[in-house]
Amino acid sequence: MALIESINSAINGFVWGVPMLVLLVGTGILMTLRTRGVQFRKFGYAMKNTIGKIFHKTKAGKGEMTPFQAMSTALAGTVGTGNIAGITTAVTLGGPGAIFWLWVTALIGMCTKYAEVTLAVKFRERNKHGDWVGGPMYYIKNGLGKNWKWLGILFSIFAALAAFGIGNAVQVGNIVTSVNDVIVAFNPGFSEESQSIVNLVLGIALAVLTAVVLFGGIKRLGAVTERLVPVMALIYIVCCLIVVIYYADTLPAVFRDIFVGAFSPAGVTGGACGSMILCITWGVKRGVFSNEAGLGSAPMAHATTSETDPVKQGVYGIFEVFVDTIIICTLSGLTILCAAKGAGLDLNYGTEGDTGLNVAAFGTVFGDQFGSLLIAVGLALFAYSTVLGWALYGTRACEFIFGSKAIRPYQIIFIIIIVVGATMDLGLAWDIADTLNGLMAIPNLIAVIALSGVVVRETKRHFANKAEAKKIEEESKQ
């Protein structure tokens, strides 16, 4: 076991270390250059055709979701505990300047996610049940050619196994922990034996809820995520905004710390976070971990869309990263930084901060008990949405390897793992799953880089057609 742990630690240090972060960011820079900054040039178009159409009634056929449902499912898998606890860790270990590098990563990652989603819709196919299936394994097979199918299988193996850990048990573990924290906050004498019973009940309840959603097929999954994701995001965003507005007078100093700390962390943290490299690393690492741009997970959800134009769905990738990182992650960071300035909250720079700081930050405005309740609700909703998103990812990956007959057995195992995650501590198993999650990026980035020309052509085609259609419309009015 010690040897396995050592090997996994070494591989994990690479896949979540500086070399991989350079590759992920480098791919984003390449796609930004090749598409001439489509995420900046067409940002208004992306917002108009995503959030601008949120209330438009759209119908999806058999085996597919509406574009918004597909994006909501992708956001369900993307918006997770990393948006809360992950950002706190980035700030305490990298300093306030980590938020700046988080923004840089997101702005570049928008184009990576745009490219992934565009390719996913371009090269998807129907399975034997009539459902749209797509993602890195399909744009590898259908885009690079069948001789590269082995690379798609490799991606699928990593994804199918990672889904059990990082997309399931780890998330469920966070849910039961947050619930127990709330119970202890209101009832300090709550025993460990009672906690074990609560964990088992929660695990079974979550397993049943997930089974109802998964066994209902792709349309039920889309219907649930399109309601769950906006609600959970709105609750958390509003609560964060209340804290930030409460300490509004600290915002100039907080933003100063973010921009100064990005290049001189020691000057802001009193030397506790003295390395600019460390600041950049934590900002980039948490940015990538949060929005998953480059990992290849979200394209599997976007491929289910009823939208036939790859670029039209691709702009949802831009919106997805914007919401996940620029909005939600930023608000998480601002909440603790404003509370630190306004209420003297000790962020204890140089240590690995956890959700206790988030609870304390909310507690300065809402009270300790209500603060812990808010974080628990936020973590529970974020984590459960991640479980639903990764249930789809793992299923699609398993299906690519073994065919449609493997869908139901995989889903049953996935549901059983929910109970395991709620009741058992399998630290090494989840650490290995985290490593597999990072390894997914390698086959995916190879495909994105190799197929970058396709993304460029699709982008030019789409916007040339839009320009031509607009020209014809204007001429018809004359």
Side-chain angles (χ1 to χ4, degrees):
M1 290 299 290
L3 178 62
I4 293 173
E5 188 171 352
S6 177
I7 293 172
N8 179 67
S9 178
I11 298 173
N12 189 277
F14 170 77
V15 299
W16 288 114
V18 174
M20 180 61 78
L21 295 178
V22 170
L23 179 59
L24 284 161
V25 174
T27 301
I29 292 172
L30 173 67
M31 295 310 305
T32 298
L33 293 174
R34 293 215 63 184
T35 60
R36 296 187 298 117
V38 66
Q39 74 272 42
F40 307 123
R41 290 189 299 112
K42 300 297 181 180
F43 183 76
Y45 175 84
M47 295 303 106
K48 178 183 175 182
N49 286 276
T50 52
I51 191 67
K53 292 186 176 179
I54 189 172
F55 297 113
H56 287 205
K57 289 288 184 182
T58 308
K59 291 185 178 181
K62 182 179 181 297
E64 59 190 28
M65 299 183 191
T66 66
F68 182 74
Q69 287 177 336
M71 187 272 295
S72 294
T73 304
L75 264 177
T78 302
V79 177
T81 55
N83 294 77
I84 302 176
I87 301 309
T88 301
T89 299
V91 169
T92 57
L93 288 176
I99 298 293
F100 174 84
W101 297 109
L102 180 90
W103 293 336
V104 171
T105 305
L107 293 174
I108 295 169
M110 285 180 186
C111 199
T112 306
K113 186 69 72 78
Y114 165 80
E116 291 177 297
V117 175
T118 299
L119 291 172
V121 177
K122 173 72 175 176
F123 293 109
R124 64 184 177 173
E125 58 187 59
R126 295 273 191 184
N127 66 9
K128 76 172 192 177
H129 299 300
D131 296 344
W132 279 122
V133 291
M137 56 283 214
Y138 289 95
Y139 52 74
I140 287 171
K141 184 189 78 168
N142 299 330
L144 297 181
K146 292 188 177 180
N147 289 337
W148 287 88
K149 186 178 178 180
W150 63 271
L151 191 65
I153 292 174
L154 195 62
F155 170 87
S156 298
I157 292 171
F158 294 151
L161 294 175
F164 290 139
I166 203 71
N168 183 336
V170 171
Q171 304 298 329
V172 174
N174 284 324
I175 292 173
V176 297
T177 299
S178 63
V179 170
N180 283 323
D181 287 345
V182 170
I183 294 174
V184 170
F186 285 89
N187 181 17
F190 195 60
S191 67
E192 289 188 10
E193 184 179 344
S194 298
Q195 287 183 26
S196 298
I197 295 172
V198 169
N199 292 351
L200 178 60
V201 172
L202 282 172
I204 293 172
L206 289 170
V208 171
L209 285 172
T210 305
V212 169
V213 176
L214 289 187
F215 295 162
I218 196 73
K219 294 187 79 66
R220 183 177 296 173
L221 178 61
V224 171
T225 56
E226 80 168 335
R227 288 169 174 78
L228 175 62
V229 170
V231 169
M232 74 176 193
L234 188 62
I235 291 173
Y236 185 69
I237 288 170
V238 168
C239 291
C240 286
L241 281 173
I242 290 172
V243 176
V244 172
I245 293 171
Y246 186 83
Y247 296 115
D249 59 325
T250 69
L251 283 173
V254 166
F255 279 106
R256 175 196 168 278
D257 286 352
I258 289 173
F259 287 105
V260 172
F263 303 96
S264 179
V268 174
T269 63
C273 304
S275 168
M276 182 177 166
I277 295 297
L278 191 66
C279 177
I280 294 173
T281 299
W282 276 108
V284 173
K285 183 184 290 188
R286 287 308 171 190
V288 169
F289 185 76
S290 173
N291 60 52
E292 297 183 12
L295 295 188
S297 50
M300 290 184 271
H302 285 281
T304 64
T305 181
S306 58
E307 177 58 64
T308 57
D309 189 315
V311 172
K312 271 193 175 181
Q313 191 65 32
V315 297
Y316 274 96
I318 295 173
F319 173 72
E320 184 183 319
V321 175
F322 178 75
V323 170
D324 176 272
T325 309
I326 300 296
I327 295 180
I328 297 178
C329 288
T330 297
L331 284 173
S332 289
L334 289 179
T335 298
I336 60 170
L337 289 171
C338 286
K341 290 284 186 186
L345 178 67
D346 185 6
L347 298 185
N348 201 9
Y349 289 117
T351 63
E352 187 171 348
D354 57 24
T355 53
L357 284 175
N358 301 86
V359 171
F362 279 117
T364 62
V365 175
F366 298 105
D368 292 338
Q369 289 184 333
F370 194 59
S372 64
L373 182 61
L374 287 175
I375 290 297
V377 170
L379 280 172
L381 291 174
F382 282 20
Y384 184 63
S385 72
T386 300
V387 171
L388 293 180
W390 275 89
L392 175 66
Y393 302 158
T395 300
R396 287 290 182 253
C398 184
E399 180 183 5
F400 184 79
I401 302 170
F402 300 109
S404 296
K405 64 181 182 296
I407 292 176
R408 190 65 78 217
Y410 182 89
Q411 289 176 333
I412 291 171
I413 296 171
F414 190 90
I415 290 164
I416 292 171
I417 293 290
I418 291 176
V419 182
V420 173
T423 56
M424 298 178 68
D425 181 14
L426 299 175
L428 178 58
W430 312 147
D431 288 344
I432 292 173
D434 182 47
T435 301
L436 293 168
N437 184 214
L439 284 171
M440 289 166 55
I442 298 174
N444 179 54
L445 293 176
I446 290 172
V448 170
I449 293 170
L451 295 169
S452 59
V454 176
V455 178
V456 173
R457 287 195 296 274
E458 286 294 319
T459 303
K460 288 181 178 178
R461 173 200 57 77
H462 176 81
F463 289 108
N465 290 346
K466 292 292 293 183
E468 184 64 26
K470 186 176 181 180
K471 181 180 177 182
I472 292 172
E473 184 181 350
E474 288 176 350
E475 289 177 349
S476 66
K477 291 178 180 178
Q478 292 176 356

